[in-house]
Amino acid sequence: MTAPPLLRVENLVTRFDTPDGEVRAVNGVSFDLERGDSLGIVGESGSGKTQLFMSLTGLLARNGRASGSALFDGRDLLTLTPRAMNEVRGVRISIIFQDPMTSLNPYLRISRQMTEVLTEHRGMSRKAARLRGIELLERVGIPNAEARFRGYPHEFSGGMRQRIMIAIALLCDPQILIADEPTTALDVTVQAQILDLLRDLRREFGTAVVMITHDLGVVAGLCERVLVLYAGRVVESGDVDDIFHDARHPYTEGLLRSMPRLDEARGEALHAIPGQPPDLQALPRGCAYRARCGYVRDVCSEAVPPLESFAPRRAAACYRVSS
Amino acid sequence: MSDIKQNSDGDGAGDSDSDGAGETLVAAPILRVRDLSVEFSVPSADGIFGGRRALTAVNGVSFDLHAGETLGVVGESGCGKSTLARAILQLLPASRGEVVWMGEDLVGHPGLRERRRDLQIIFQDPLASLNPRMTAGDIVAEPLRTHRGEIGRAERRRLVAEMFERVGLSPVMVNRYPHEFSGGQCQRIGIARAMILRPRLILCDEPVSALDVSIQAQIVNLLEDLQREFGMALIFISHDLSVVRHICHRVMVLYLGRVVEVAERDILYRSPRHPYTRALMSAVPIPDPRIERERRRVVLEGDLPSPLDPPSGCIFRGRCSYARSRCAEEVPVLEELGGQSVACHFHNDI
Ligand SMILES: Nc1ncnc2c1ncn2[C@@H]1O[C@H](COP(=O)(O)OP(=O)(O)OP(=O)(O)O)[C@@H](O)[C@H]1O
Ligand code: SF4
Ligand code: SF4
Ligand SMILES: [Mg+2]
């Protein structure tokens, strides 16, 4: 028997209570994450990418709740007490966000923000924590790390702050690093540096990386496995080459075609996916994508297409694929 | 002109009409920017003595913009893109130079309301620029209230609903508040607000970088559609060179507040001449894992140098693999090469 995966998420449902009724931001998502894997989570704004991982790390807003299961190291993350979750989040599972300033405290020196985690969770002495902090700042490419260790967040550029966030995320040698659009706010040359850094760190530390992004270019260069989310559900999953060269779900296909590419001739109009992103409170019956889909047929409005494996390591939720 | 009846899903494909933008390029420019510089006074590093120094965020930028034209402005954060946009709109004072809008110099005449109606901006961080206590519908309606008071309530509501649909938001969302929208949805509200007055020029400061690709394509097509329809010009600030290539007629590359290269789109993308432009292009990820695995990048080391302490000579030399001694001594000037201008001493060798 093979060992269980590092993380096994099954039938995760995340609901928010709102004045207008219940919103299901994540609707029955299941996936495995293996040790040292790199998983790309791709989807449109509001598809539930962020809330999926907020659910797993106990960061849901007060009006949200998650059901299903998420087995990590024999424990279900969804049933952890806030206190137990504090021993996991930032320690064994770290998250970095698009805007580092949402996680960095602007009034505290970097040194304080880095050493606190280590003295609290690792019982390190302040001196050892300081050395570890500086070492990681150096590792993520902060020049003059020792001097800048005592600086404040605003003294760093956006790219440098994201490097600091990565350093903080890695302080306790996490098994999973969740990166939620970490390069979206950065320039391309800096993005290229950060992606290089993440690739290297993954190799060096064996950390599994989850890259949440809307940019398929980012996924192409970093990830081995890909999940495509739409309206809170996984609509396609597979190895990165299959997703990019043999996409089966009409949404994945549409996404790939709507990207302008520097390596191809410039077309007249971009191939936009028509229509609007789904309103989670007014999802149509059947396939959530059907109002935008060029292959829609009668069966698509009858029931939600189940996610079905149609080849080894590949699955799609579409009647066109399953028939 | 306020009629936006013709609805669109943002898909401008298959439009066989002639390209309206191309025809208007012969007329006089609507905007002439000459030698524009913006300085900020910042506390000096050894702030104990209360000293201040000048930080030159935009340094001698000149360009023309024609009706219906789209000028791309690319470069790393901190290179002065947003400052340039704000200085053009007189939201920031220029320390030198001219901003001539429709024949009138705006520098030193800030805050003229009527003109601001013609000049709109889409901000980089929409959530921060959206009033959290206003509904999305009211946010989009606000410019109509301020500048088009003659439009009645019912008509205003209709225009707002149409604009919502046009930018890819469901009109049933008009009564929701900004925090109820995801990041991408907030960006669309900002775009709707800027578009609703049908301005002559929209400064778009990273307008699509937070949007998903499918919506990016819609918004880019939408901007192009509206441009064809109303002839407005765009200054399109972006770090995404693929999107800039798609939408812009001309592209200006900024580095540390200076123009290092400016060229017709096709020329720039076929043969970039400045080492910085080449590095930028090389950093763009290609959505193809096979290509990405094989790819050799021109990796730029380090960050932008501090604008408080720019290097002598060529400002790019600290990161340039072609740099020689002349680069430390002499500031390269923009040299016109036919449809393309480059500020590099050694552009012939590159
Ligand atoms: N506290 C909340 N109350 C109600 N709805 C919420 C709340 N937080 C998120 N949502 C909704 O949940 C859905 C999924 O949001 P999520 O943030 O996961 O999207 P995302 O895929 O990360 O999008 P983006 O690309 O814009 O970051 C959205 O429709 C959003 O409006
Ligand atoms: S199930 Fe039907 S509507 Fe949905 S993606 Fe497949 S073909 Fe399109
Ligand atoms: S002038 Fe010199 S340093 Fe500047 S871009 Fe050209 S070769 Fe590089
Ligand atoms: Mg998100």
Side-chain angles (χ1 to χ4, degrees):
Chain A
M1 203 188 108
T2 50
L6 178 61
L7 172 68
R8 168 161 287 172
V9 175
E10 277 179 312
N11 197 24
L12 184 81
V13 177
T14 305
R15 302 174 173 87
F16 289 101
D17 288 321
T18 76
D20 301 335
E22 186 184 88
V23 175
R24 283 193 184 209
V26 181
N27 206 343
V29 166
S30 305
F31 67 92
D32 287 352
L33 180 68
E34 304 292 344
R35 281 170 188 76
D37 206 353
S38 60
L39 176 69
I41 308 286
V42 178
E44 203 138 16
S45 158
S47 62
K49 308 183 293 292
T50 297
Q51 299 313 323
L52 167 58
F53 289 91
M54 292 294 188
S55 308
L56 300 181
T57 50
L59 290 176
L60 282 182
R62 223 167 269 169
N63 62 334
R65 70 210 131 87
S67 64
S69 70
L71 286 181
F72 173 68
D73 207 18
R75 287 195 295 176
D76 185 352
L77 294 174
L78 301 185
T79 61
L80 294 185
T81 61
R83 206 184 156 137
M85 181 51 88
N86 271 334
E87 295 298 315
V88 173
R89 191 193 331 115
V91 183
R92 308 193 52 203
I93 302 178
S94 287
I95 319 180
I96 54 176
F97 296 100
Q98 174 176 336
D99 177 6
M101 287 312 270
T102 57
S103 332
L104 287 172
N105 183 330
Y107 304 108
L108 293 182
R109 293 179 197 280
I110 300 301
S111 52
R112 172 91 178 274
Q113 307 194 42
M114 291 192 83
T115 52
E116 225 164 53
V117 193
L118 291 172
T119 49
E120 271 176 28
H121 291 288
R122 282 282 157 106
M124 271 192 189
S125 70
R126 300 220 355 228
K127 185 157 176 231
R130 193 184 119 81
L131 287 178
R132 170 89 176 139
I134 293 170
E135 174 197 321
L136 270 166
L137 284 189
E138 267 163 11
R139 179 61 199 86
V140 299
I142 303 282
N144 298 323
E146 190 158 356
R148 309 215 56 189
F149 190 51
R150 304 222 353 113
Y152 289 93
H154 69 88
E155 294 165 19
F156 295 84
S157 68
M160 286 295 158
R161 276 184 218 140
Q162 202 53 286
R163 287 171 190 270
I164 292 170
M165 276 313 303
I166 294 172
I168 292 177
L170 293 175
L171 279 171
C172 298
D173 273 322
Q175 284 156 296
I176 303 176
L177 174 65
I178 299 164
D180 190 351
E181 309 263 9
T183 60
T184 303
L186 303 177
D187 297 290
V188 282
T189 62
V190 183
Q191 167 171 287
Q193 294 169 355
I194 297 283
L195 294 178
D196 273 353
L197 175 66
L198 286 173
R199 258 188 297 268
D200 290 350
L201 292 173
R202 186 182 146 231
R203 217 172 293 135
E204 198 177 315
F205 294 80
T207 315
V209 174
V210 176
M211 172 60 77
I212 300 174
T213 180
H214 64 276
D215 187 342
L216 287 159
V218 167
V219 169
L222 186 74
C223 302
E224 282 159 12
R225 299 268 308 157
V226 182
L227 293 186
V228 182
L229 288 189
Y230 192 80
R233 296 177 190 270
V234 176
V235 294
E236 182 157 10
S237 67
D239 290 337
V240 68
D241 284 276
D242 292 331
I243 294 283
F244 281 81
H245 292 286
D246 184 27
R248 295 297 177 85
H249 196 283
Y251 175 62
T252 317
E253 188 191 299
L255 271 186
L256 284 163
R257 288 179 56 188
S258 63
M259 287 194 81
R261 289 174 60 153
L262 273 194
D263 63 326
E264 285 178 355
R266 179 180 170 276
E268 266 317 299
L270 292 176
H271 186 93
I273 296 178
Q276 294 167 15
D279 178 356
L280 294 181
Q281 280 170 305
L283 285 183
R285 245 177 84 87
C287 177
Y289 189 61
R290 75 181 155 88
R292 308 174 77 183
C293 180
Y295 305 100
V296 63
R297 51 189 78 183
D298 288 346
V299 61
C300 305
S301 54
E302 284 163 18
V304 176
L307 182 68
E308 279 175 358
S309 177
F310 60 89
R313 299 177 66 77
R314 304 204 57 183
C318 171
Y319 293 117
R320 179 168 165 260
V321 180
S322 56
S323 65
Chain B
M1 102 154 190
S2 58
D3 188 11
I4 46 174
K5 193 82 215 155
Q6 179 209 328
N7 186 24
S8 157
D9 278 328
D11 189 354
D15 187 345
S16 58
D17 290 355
S18 66
D19 185 347
E23 288 161 18
T24 50
L25 290 184
V26 285
I30 55 167
L31 178 70
R32 282 165 50 99
V33 172
R34 285 295 173 274
D35 198 27
L36 185 67
S37 296
V38 180
E39 283 178 7
F40 295 112
S41 161
V42 298
S44 37
D46 48 1
I48 351 162
F49 304 112
R52 301 184 77 81
R53 4 183 354 196
L55 182 157
T56 308
V58 171
N59 199 339
V61 170
S62 301
F63 65 89
D64 285 350
L65 184 74
H66 291 84
E69 190 187 15
T70 304
L71 174 72
V73 180
V74 299
E76 287 176 287
S77 64
C79 74
K81 304 186 295 282
S82 300
T83 307
L84 175 64
R86 280 161 182 73
I88 291 169
L89 288 179
Q90 307 302 305
L91 299 173
L92 278 175
S95 55
R96 198 179 70 216
E98 290 172 12
V99 176
V100 182
W101 171 252
M102 310 287 292
E104 231 182 313
D105 190 359
L106 298 184
V107 171
H109 306 92
L112 290 172
R113 271 198 149 193
E114 280 311 295
R115 229 178 256 125
R116 287 299 313 285
R117 165 176 153 180
D118 272 348
L119 292 164
Q120 291 291 320
I121 185 163
I122 299 167
F123 288 102
Q124 188 166 359
D125 180 354
L127 189 55
S129 64
L130 300 181
N131 184 337
R133 280 176 297 275
M134 280 170 78
T135 64
D138 283 339
I139 288 170
V140 175
E142 195 182 31
L144 284 177
R145 271 203 206 92
T146 313
H147 295 285
R148 302 283 305 272
E150 75 279 10
I151 295 179
R153 226 171 116 206
E155 171 70 355
R156 199 163 60 218
R157 212 179 286 152
R158 188 184 68 82
L159 290 173
V160 168
E162 274 176 1
M163 187 50 82
F164 259 62
E165 211 151 321
R166 187 126 197 186
V167 299
L169 289 168
S170 163
V172 302
M173 296 172 169
V174 287
N175 292 322
R176 295 199 197 167
Y177 289 88
H179 74 270
E180 296 173 68
F181 292 89
S182 68
Q185 291 167 330
C186 285
Q187 194 78 318
R188 285 191 280 273
I189 298 171
I191 291 169
R193 181 177 56 183
M195 297 275 210
I196 197 129
L197 290 173
R198 301 284 183 269
R200 276 178 210 267
L201 168 61
I202 302 183
L203 284 128
C204 311
D205 193 351
E206 300 275 5
V208 297
S209 43
L211 301 182
D212 313 276
V213 277
S214 83
I215 304 306
Q216 262 184 26
Q218 284 189 2
I219 298 294
V220 165
N221 286 342
L222 172 71
L223 285 169
E224 286 180 321
D225 282 353
L226 286 168
Q227 188 176 49
R228 254 191 294 270
E229 226 173 300
F230 300 102
M232 86 252 192
L234 300 172
I235 293 181
F236 196 91
I237 296 171
S238 175
H239 66 270
D240 187 334
L241 278 97
S242 330
V243 172
V244 166
R245 170 169 174 245
H246 187 84
I247 196 172
C248 299
H249 305 108
R250 235 163 5 113
V251 182
M252 184 161 89
V253 184
L254 287 186
Y255 189 78
L256 222 61
R258 289 180 196 263
V259 178
V260 295
E261 182 159 11
V262 55
E264 305 292 330
R265 171 193 59 222
D266 291 342
I267 297 176
L268 188 84
Y269 284 88
R270 203 181 316 120
S271 50
R273 299 292 285 274
H274 197 282
Y276 178 58
T277 314
R278 298 172 73 102
L280 270 183
M281 290 199 182
S282 161
V284 176
I286 305 285
D288 183 331
R290 291 175 195 158
I291 294 178
E292 282 292 311
R293 277 194 288 267
E294 302 303 315
R295 221 162 151 218
R296 295 244 122 260
R297 284 213 155 78
V298 185
V299 182
L300 270 192
E301 295 296 327
D303 270 349
L304 281 175
S306 162
L308 270 174
D309 194 15
S312 66
C314 175
I315 42 169
F316 186 58
R317 68 185 166 87
R319 302 171 80 187
C320 181
S321 54
Y322 302 90
R324 297 172 220 178
S325 57
R326 184 178 165 199
C327 305
E329 288 148 21
E330 226 181 292
V331 176
V333 293
L334 262 187
E335 196 180 324
E336 164 69 46
L337 306 170
Q340 182 172 31
S341 301
V342 186
C344 169
H345 296 307
F346 300 108
H347 64 77
N348 279 324
D349 310 347
I350 290 162

